[in-house]
Amino acid sequence: RPHAVGADGFDTAARERFYGLIVYLARLATEAGALVVISATAHRRAWRDAARAAIPRFVEVFLDVDATTCRARDPKGLWRAAAAGVIDALPGAGVDYEAPPSPEVRLDADTPRDVAVGSILAALG
């Protein structure tokens, strides 16, 4: 049964709360000396800018992948759900994704894992 906007947790208000919580927890953990890695599709630049302002040593990693590749590599079935109308606010499929203008690390779908890890570690310096 299709969900209404918001019922699936992909509406703007739910995402605002989600990213705000992620940033808060990451800031607390970094203040305690932990290295924090967050994997999130923050499709609005404003959310990523807020994270950058709040978290010391913030490194933005942008995985630059086209929609065709995302649909083909859909382990959670989110793109299939968006195509079926179950999710109507998936970034890249129903909601625009605001690509970062200058991330510290830019990777593509074919970047080998060891190269990706090396690039991220180098950016962390």
Side-chain angles (χ1 to χ4, degrees), residues 74 76-88 90:
D74 188 19
K76 294 182 181 179
L78 296 175
W79 285 78
R80 285 186 299 280
V86 175
I87 296 173
D88 56 2
L90 181 69

Side-chain angles (χ1 to χ4, degrees), residues 6-53:
D8 57 17
F10 285 96
D11 69 318
T12 301
R15 284 186 180 273
E16 293 266 353
R17 287 188 302 276
F18 174 73
Y19 292 116
L21 180 60
I22 286 175
V23 169
Y24 173 74
L25 294 173
R27 185 172 42 91
L28 287 178
T30 57
E31 287 172 355
L35 174 63
V36 178
V37 177
I38 300 169
S39 174
T41 306
H43 68 280
R44 293 184 59 207
R45 277 191 201 120
W47 294 335
R48 298 187 306 266
D49 290 345
R52 183 180 297 280

